[in-house]
Amino acid sequence: MTSAGYLYLKAAEDLRENADQWQAYESKKNCVILAGPGSGKTKTITVKIARLLAEDIRRPRRMACITYSNACVGELRSRLNRLGIEDGDGLLLSTVHSFCLTELVSPYAALAGLDASNPIVIATPAEARRFFSDAYSEQLGGVPTNSFRIACDKLRRTIPDKESDDWRASSARETMVIEAYEALLTKHGLMDFDGLVLTGLLLVEKHEWVRRAVRAKYPVIVIDEYQDLGLPLHRIVLALLRAGTRIVAVGDPDQSIYGFTGAKPSLLRALASRPQIESIRLKLNYRCADKIIAASMALLPDPESFVSHDGRAGEIVIQGLKRNVKEQAHYALGTLVPKILAANPSWTSGDIAFLYRTLNEGAPIAQAADALGLHYFRLDNGSPIKRTRLTEWLVDVAKWCAGGWETGTVFLSQLLKAWRRLRKSLTRENEFFAARKRLIATLFSLRDGGLSLHHWLSVLRRDVLDDLLREEPGLADEKDILDDLITAAAKGGALQASTVEIFGNQGKSPDLLNLMTLHSSKGLEFQAVIMLGLEKGVFPSSYDKNEEQLAEAARLFYVGVTRAKSQIHLIYDQVESPLITSIRGIG
């Protein structure tokens, strides 16, 4: 037996102690695994993937695992690597957009006679913004607001059929602009990321031969974070189910927090209720203490019964300070954090997270931390370092260049494998080895943690990244992000003082406090969570008016609460949010 086989069998033995995890592991059918916070979902699904690869998939057939974001892909890849599994010939790990590009649109759009460029060219975010503005100006005059663009994006994702009664009944202002925008993209031989998924849906639903081709290549498809992926993927899944593809879906409707993108928690529930689906719920919580579990269940209208695996009590502290968010931040950073660390000597700054809803709260927290000279990792729209496939790879490269090549904290082989996944267009062996040789030479020339970040990025861009961004259509969204990063590292930018070593320390670090939006915190865990600005009318906000919006605000708060292992600190100004009121008696 291979080492990978041994590792997954050994890991599977740990699942036996949890009847629900074992049922999910043993299932031979289409199944939906409903996995609450801290339920060991990722461990269960990765061990199951390893088993499917070892026992059910035979070359040349493969297995696909689709998830919501590149961060989710990275987490699954890391867990699978520990089991001796690497995505390659037997396994495809992919976001839904990448799957639609490489496995549906690129191979089948031209064969199906669709009006799409060959090869597929993805519009950059800047191009998409420009064409949307042109479409708006053409149809309505003037300049579109950000809220109008968000509403149009959501409409495209929730009503994919342009010939449907629902589309015709929608706001004419929005449908006119969307149709004009899509026409401009087509005219210029481009497709945006939503267009990839919509085109993939069209191919799968309209053409039986496409469904059969997908099933022949991928007899089993696993979908993680299903509650975040929206109606088009749901319909793709239903079409593939009808064609005989085995589906394993994993998620939690109570953690559906991307309604503004078109995600609906009801879709996962609907899939779980289908007669050909085995529905399994993971009920044991390995993360949260008892009081935190009780608080989380109090936030939901129809909560599931979760049980703590170790019976820890935990702590919930609610404080009304009669101070604004900036003053709350100064108190939390200057008084509360030192108090928490002093009471828990084994904890470090990295065990504490400040979670907030928007940049409006994140900015004053970061300003307060700067004023106090505290170091932190920030993950929101105010951070000059965005969390993408390319930037995460660059952070790992920086760790290697800053000494990881000597200490073994990052291996060159890991960087090259990750780079190979980015360079999907290099199919000719001679081109691949030539590009790899250039990359290795560049990396060795940049092994100095004291180099300025701007110089380091500029050399990498000139020698390696320009070719990457020019030749990989799936990385169209990365160009603007890299431009912004290099600008931030230049003189006068937010990162002008950063070195390669400082940049490489981004992300999880025991020495850095965590500042991040609630959306960004999903999937993470911390010993203590601190949430500020929980005043009435702020969270939920005054814009959360209808039942759907209020329910999503409660789910977002639920996600924040369930990031905590041991402690939650909730701070408000004068009048507490009704979300706090719902759990006050538990603390």
Side-chain angles (χ1 to χ4, degrees):
M1 180 174 291
T2 65
S3 60
Y6 170 77
L7 289 171
Y8 97 80
L9 289 173
K10 183 179 179 182
E13 288 302 309
D14 293 338
L15 304 182
R16 284 184 184 273
E17 300 175 4
N18 183 318
D20 299 326
Q21 290 181 348
W22 187 254
Q23 183 185 357
Y25 174 74
E26 285 281 273
S27 174
K28 305 294 185 184
K29 307 174 184 177
N30 299 304
C31 73
V32 167
I33 303 170
L34 299 167
S39 61
K41 177 261 291 184
T42 306
K43 177 179 179 179
T44 303
I45 194 62
T46 50
V47 176
K48 186 173 182 66
I49 288 170
R51 180 181 190 177
L52 288 166
L53 286 168
E55 300 179 13
D56 292 20
I57 306 299
R58 296 290 178 267
R59 292 186 179 184
R61 307 183 91 184
R62 305 178 70 196
M63 177 181 172
C65 181
I66 304 168
T67 189
Y68 178 71
S69 67
N70 291 303
C72 294
V73 169
E75 176 63 18
L76 285 170
R77 178 175 291 122
S78 175
R79 295 289 192 95
L80 286 166
N81 286 348
R82 294 176 209 167
L83 296 173
I85 305 290
E86 294 187 2
D87 46 328
D89 290 341
L91 174 66
L92 172 71
L93 276 175
S94 174
T95 63
V96 62
H97 297 104
S98 181
F99 180 83
C100 287
L101 171 63
T102 63
E103 309 305 314
L104 297 176
V105 181
S106 288
Y108 304 129
L111 292 173
L114 299 186
D115 187 9
S117 61
N118 191 11
I120 302 297
V121 180
I122 308 300
T124 66
E127 289 172 330
R129 288 192 297 269
R130 184 173 74 250
F131 288 132
F132 187 86
S133 294
D134 290 347
Y136 185 93
S137 177
E138 173 190 308
Q139 297 297 317
L140 303 176
V143 179
T145 63
N146 188 51
S147 60
F148 184 84
R149 174 68 190 271
I150 291 172
C152 288
D153 289 344
K154 182 176 179 179
L155 185 61
R156 290 179 76 199
R157 296 164 185 154
T158 52
I159 307 179
D161 306 306
K162 301 293 193 296
E163 304 301 321
S164 68
D165 292 339
D166 287 340
W167 182 262
R168 287 188 284 269
S170 300
S171 164
R173 285 170 54 86
E174 292 171 5
T175 57
M176 288 165 52
V177 172
I178 290 169
E179 290 173 3
Y181 166 67
E182 292 179 341
L184 282 174
L185 287 175
T186 301
K187 177 182 176 181
H188 289 84
L190 298 171
M191 191 175 292
D192 68 0
F193 283 99
D194 284 335
L196 282 175
V197 183
L198 296 174
T199 305
L201 172 62
L202 177 65
L203 287 164
V204 167
E205 285 194 331
K206 299 296 184 184
H207 301 284
E208 180 188 3
W209 61 269
V210 173
R211 297 192 293 273
R212 291 172 61 187
V214 173
R215 183 193 173 204
K217 188 175 183 180
Y218 297 108
V220 181
I221 296 180
V222 176
I223 306 103
D224 190 23
E225 301 292 350
Y226 196 97
Q227 76 281 346
D228 295 333
L229 291 168
L231 182 61
L233 180 74
H234 180 66
R235 283 175 43 178
I236 289 173
V237 167
L238 296 183
L240 294 176
L241 264 176
R242 292 193 296 270
T245 300
R246 181 178 169 190
I247 298 295
V248 179
V250 191
D252 180 9
D254 293 331
Q255 295 187 74
S256 180
I257 56 174
Y258 292 97
F260 60 91
T261 70
K264 291 181 178 293
S266 58
L267 298 177
L268 181 56
R269 294 190 181 102
L271 183 66
S273 67
R274 296 181 72 86
Q276 71 269 51
I277 298 286
E278 180 180 8
S279 179
I280 303 163
R281 179 168 284 281
L282 306 184
K283 297 182 288 292
L284 194 60
N285 188 315
Y286 291 89
R287 175 189 301 154
C288 304
D290 283 340
K291 284 186 179 180
I292 296 171
I293 293 174
S296 71
M297 291 193 291
L299 291 167
L300 302 174
D302 187 22
E304 295 292 335
S305 286
F306 294 108
V307 181
S308 170
H309 85 292
D310 61 6
R312 289 174 296 123
E315 185 177 6
I316 300 174
V317 181
I318 299 172
Q319 294 179 273
L321 296 181
K322 296 185 179 181
R323 304 177 188 179
N324 62 32
V325 171
K326 188 172 183 179
E327 292 166 339
Q328 292 174 29
H330 273 281
Y331 161 76
L333 290 161
T335 302
L336 183 55
V337 168
K339 183 178 177 182
I340 292 171
L341 293 175
N344 300 276
S346 65
W347 295 4
T348 66
S349 296
D351 288 314
I352 301 173
F354 282 73
L355 305 183
Y356 41 88
R357 191 167 188 180
T358 70
L359 184 62
N360 292 333
E361 296 82 47
I365 296 172
Q367 290 166 5
D370 290 336
L372 292 167
L374 299 176
H375 300 292
Y376 56 85
F377 167 64
R378 184 177 178 185
L379 193 57
D380 62 29
N381 287 335
S383 171
I385 304 172
K386 309 303 180 188
R387 195 176 180 184
T388 70
R389 284 170 292 176
L390 182 57
T391 54
E392 289 191 349
W393 180 74
L394 286 171
V395 167
D396 285 341
V397 172
K399 290 177 184 176
W400 184 85
C401 288
W405 61 277
E406 286 184 302
T407 62
T409 53
V410 180
F411 293 102
L412 181 61
S413 60
Q414 293 174 315
L415 301 179
L416 296 177
K417 287 175 183 176
W419 172 81
R420 184 68 184 95
R421 288 190 290 267
L422 295 172
R423 292 294 269 142
K424 292 181 178 179
S425 70
L426 290 179
T427 55
R428 294 181 179 177
E429 193 170 282
N430 62 327
E431 293 177 346
F432 165 68
F433 282 112
R436 191 173 109 151
K437 183 178 179 181
R438 286 196 302 275
L439 171 63
I440 293 172
T442 301
L443 295 184
F444 272 84
S445 73
L446 294 172
R447 289 190 303 174
D448 181 352
L451 288 174
S452 77
L453 179 60
H454 184 263
H455 171 76
W456 185 82
L457 287 170
S458 299
V459 173
L460 269 173
R461 177 154 203 172
R462 182 195 67 206
D463 293 353
V464 176
L465 299 180
D466 276 340
D467 287 345
L468 173 76
L469 295 172
R470 183 175 58 253
E471 296 169 7
E472 301 299 334
L475 299 179
D477 56 331
E478 301 277 5
K479 183 179 182 299
D480 291 351
I481 291 170
L482 180 62
D483 287 341
D484 291 344
L485 181 60
I486 292 176
T487 299
K491 186 176 181 180
L495 300 175
Q496 67 171 344
S498 292
T499 62
V500 174
E501 182 176 11
I502 292 172
F503 180 68
N505 285 332
Q506 295 297 317
K508 295 178 182 178
S509 169
D511 302 321
L512 301 177
L513 287 165
N514 297 280
L515 277 56
M516 59 185 64
T517 62
L518 288 155
H519 285 92
S520 299
S521 74
K522 196 157 169 287
L524 303 177
E525 61 183 26
F526 308 93
Q527 290 289 356
V529 163
I530 301 171
M531 297 171 67
L532 311 178
L534 298 177
E535 295 87 41
K536 182 179 180 180
V538 176
F539 194 3
S541 78
S542 56
Y543 297 103
D544 295 321
K545 295 179 179 179
N546 62 42
E547 185 176 339
E548 181 181 350
Q549 291 168 330
L550 290 170
E552 179 155 312
R555 292 195 298 271
L556 187 59
F557 193 64
Y558 169 82
V559 166
V561 167
T562 55
R563 298 311 94 196
K565 295 180 180 181
S566 303
Q567 297 181 14
I568 303 172
H569 297 265
L570 306 174
I571 301 174
Y572 64 95
D573 188 348
Q574 298 187 55
V575 182
E576 68 187 26
S577 162
L579 294 171
I580 291 183
T581 304
S582 66
I583 65 173
R584 176 172 277 283
I586 296 166

